[in-house]
Amino acid sequence: PAKGISRVDYAANFAGFLNEQAGHKPWAFWLGTTEPHRGYEYGSGVRLGKKLDDVDRVPGYWPDNETIRNDMLDYSMEVEHYDLHLGRILAALKESGQLDDTLVIATSDHGMPFPRCKGQAYDYSNHVPLAIMWPKQLKKPGRVVSDYVSFADFAPTFLDVAGLTSSKTGMQTITGQ
């Protein structure tokens, strides 16, 4: 849909992977996309149907002007591209009958690529999306956790889910919880 968006069909790659899995053996798949990342096509959000007024709030530390609003909309187009592929992946899991038994974690590796966000020590740089679903296992679905979570917490979580201790994995000492 825009010049900066990869032509890789992430969801089709996942569907191919899923089709290669045999029986009920455990598997893991890491979806890493290039969206949303800079080289946005300036004005792609507007070109693809969004309006500058669709931006309901510009943070007070940025100028509220057409350039900034376009940049935010162009960024949102890349987020929506990621969301589209994630939705297709969830649909493939559902169609295969594996959605309820699959731990799905969706997150980002950093904040938005804007001033006071990415690579900074402000709230926007440390507040990244994190959504987790596992329909058959999560005891309180829909729960919102406001505690600080670090990616260092993922490894011990995965080991716990797999019923393993870090000493049985050969991994270095784990600092996460």
Side-chain angles (χ1 to χ4, degrees):
K3 290 178 188 169
I5 293 179
S6 172
R7 294 189 184 281
V8 172
D9 190 339
Y10 305 111
N13 289 344
F14 174 76
F17 167 84
L18 195 60
N19 288 334
E20 293 175 2
Q21 303 314 304
H24 290 30
K25 287 183 141 187
W27 53 264
F29 185 90
W30 183 283
L31 169 66
T33 69
T34 59
E35 296 84 23
H37 277 92
R38 286 266 179 211
Y40 311 142
E41 175 188 340
Y42 182 78
S44 59
V46 171
R47 180 178 58 77
L48 294 167
K50 295 191 177 294
K51 298 177 192 75
L52 294 180
D53 290 344
D54 290 343
V55 176
D56 63 349
R57 183 180 68 80
V58 175
Y61 43 84
W62 298 342
D64 187 350
N65 60 38
E66 183 176 325
T67 301
I68 298 299
R69 286 176 174 265
N70 264 298
D71 203 28
M72 292 175 75
L73 291 176
D74 299 344
Y75 171 74
S76 75
M77 293 305 301
E78 295 218 1
V79 171
E80 290 176 13
H81 183 76
Y82 169 87
D83 289 349
L84 171 77
H85 283 272
L86 181 57
R88 288 175 52 204
I89 286 169
L90 294 174
L93 282 168
K94 185 174 184 177
E95 185 178 315
S96 74
Q98 297 182 64
L99 182 61
D100 287 346
D101 294 316
T102 302
L103 172 60
V104 177
I105 298 175
T107 190
S108 176
D109 58 349
H110 51 68
M112 300 182 298
F114 296 108
R116 288 187 68 158
C117 296
K118 182 178 177 180
Q120 304 295 315
Y122 296 102
D123 284 345
Y124 272 88
S125 63
N126 292 304
H127 189 103
V128 297
L130 174 62
I132 300 171
M133 68 178 287
W134 195 9
K136 277 195 177 174
Q137 297 295 326
L138 290 179
K139 304 293 185 239
K140 296 180 183 177
R143 183 172 62 122
V144 174
V145 177
S146 59
D147 297 345
Y148 184 78
V149 176
S150 171
F151 282 19
D153 297 330
F154 290 168
T157 300
F158 297 151
L159 292 176
D160 187 57
V161 163
L164 297 172
T165 62
S166 59
S167 62
K168 290 186 178 183
T169 67
M171 295 172 65
Q172 294 292 324
T173 303
I174 294 175
T175 58
Q177 297 184 15

